[in-house]
Amino acid sequence: MASFIIKPAHLRCVVRTCRFLREPQTRNTLCSSRSYATEEGNRGPKIYTKTGDKGFSSTFTGERRPKEDHIFEALGNTDELSSAIGLAREFCLDKGHTFTYQLDKIQCILQDVGSNIATPQSSARESHISRTKFAAQPISDLETWIDTFTEELPPLTNFILPSGGKGSAALHLARTVCRRAERSVAPIVRSGEADPDVAKFLNRLSDYLFTAARYAAMKEGSVETIYTRPE
């Protein structure tokens, strides 16, 4: 899978190659990054291009839009979500949780979410759409993982506060970022500019992160803080 950074002068493609394994993973990442550039020799591309200095950026279809456009707002929220999940993953690895491979896969799928959002259907050619179409299978994967966690968890009978250890609290934080990402993507999907399954995935992902947070707390033997009305 790939995330594309489009600049008018040239195209740079940063490829993330993801191997989705079913077994619990170690700190070795599943996604290896390789950078391809047209410059001479083996020099990598410069990280700065200056093409956004005037407050505009490009979609995958080549449109130049202001950086406060709803497309870039949604992309920023999705990027922040992936970063939050990455932080939670590190805490969960420290505790030896066996579900971290799922977080790896989710981060890779969020790259696909971003690619779809960055390809407005109104300006996309068929070649754009075919390269960034979002599949529904990841939604089913999330539901399977949620169901598996739920089978081991005690019934939820109270409101709980983000707590239960560093991994659990970080997963709760990622959940709140996910809700914001979902809110920013919803109008884009309603307008027909992104695949409906993108919104469905983010909606299910917040449920997954909530359940995974409870599961992490349970496995660590950490106490979740129960909401009580302040006196």
Side-chain angles (χ1 to χ4, degrees):
M1 71 185 56
S3 62
F4 298 91
I5 305 173
I6 309 300
K7 301 297 181 183
H10 54 278
L11 172 67
R12 288 174 180 165
C13 177
V14 179
V15 180
R16 287 167 58 90
T17 304
C18 301
R19 296 181 294 112
F20 299 146
L21 305 182
R22 297 185 180 274
E23 298 301 323
Q25 301 303 313
T26 64
R27 284 189 180 274
N28 292 330
T29 182
L30 296 184
C31 302
S32 60
S33 296
R34 293 176 297 167
S35 181
Y36 297 91
T38 56
E39 286 85 355
E40 294 180 4
N42 295 323
R43 290 183 303 161
K46 289 184 178 180
I47 193 64
Y48 58 90
T49 62
K50 303 182 181 181
T51 58
D53 287 354
K54 295 183 178 180
F56 287 81
S57 193
S58 297
T59 66
F60 181 44
T61 60
E63 286 185 81
R64 295 290 289 174
R65 296 192 181 197
K67 291 191 175 184
E68 68 271 19
D69 186 89
H70 61 291
I71 292 289
F72 299 123
E73 178 70 20
L75 287 172
N77 289 334
T78 304
D79 185 27
E80 185 179 345
L81 171 57
S82 182
S83 297
I85 291 174
L87 177 61
R89 174 184 178 275
E90 292 301 310
F91 286 133
C92 290
L93 281 169
D94 287 343
K95 291 296 184 178
H97 288 300
T98 59
F99 61 83
T100 53
Y101 76 98
Q102 297 172 4
L103 302 180
D104 289 319
K105 183 172 183 178
I106 288 168
Q107 285 186 284
C108 287
I109 293 169
L110 286 172
Q111 293 292 116
D112 289 343
V113 168
S115 294
N116 188 265
I117 295 169
T119 310
Q121 303 294 292
S122 60
S123 61
R125 298 190 299 273
E126 184 58 39
S127 59
H128 292 133
I129 294 173
S130 63
R131 294 178 71 179
T132 60
K133 183 174 178 57
F134 189 79
Q137 182 58 44
I139 302 171
S140 297
D141 291 341
L142 289 175
E143 292 171 350
T144 298
W145 296 336
I146 292 170
D147 292 343
T148 300
F149 290 151
T150 303
E151 288 176 359
E152 294 189 45
L153 286 168
L156 185 63
T157 57
N158 300 95
F159 288 110
I160 60 172
L161 305 180
S163 55
K166 292 180 180 179
S168 178
L171 287 166
H172 277 297
L173 178 60
R175 171 182 57 81
T176 64
V177 178
C178 185
R179 285 301 191 192
R180 172 153 48 85
E182 181 188 2
R183 291 193 298 271
S184 63
V185 166
I188 300 173
V189 170
R190 280 199 301 270
S191 67
E193 292 284 62
D195 287 345
D197 282 336
V198 166
K200 292 179 183 178
F201 175 79
L202 292 173
N203 186 30
R204 210 68 80 251
L205 179 55
S206 62
D207 294 332
Y208 166 87
L209 292 169
F210 176 79
T211 309
R214 294 193 64 218
Y215 186 80
M218 181 193 71
K219 287 296 186 181
E220 292 177 27
S222 299
V223 177
E224 295 177 295
T225 304
I226 303 298
Y227 163 78
T228 57
R229 185 182 295 275
E231 297 180 358

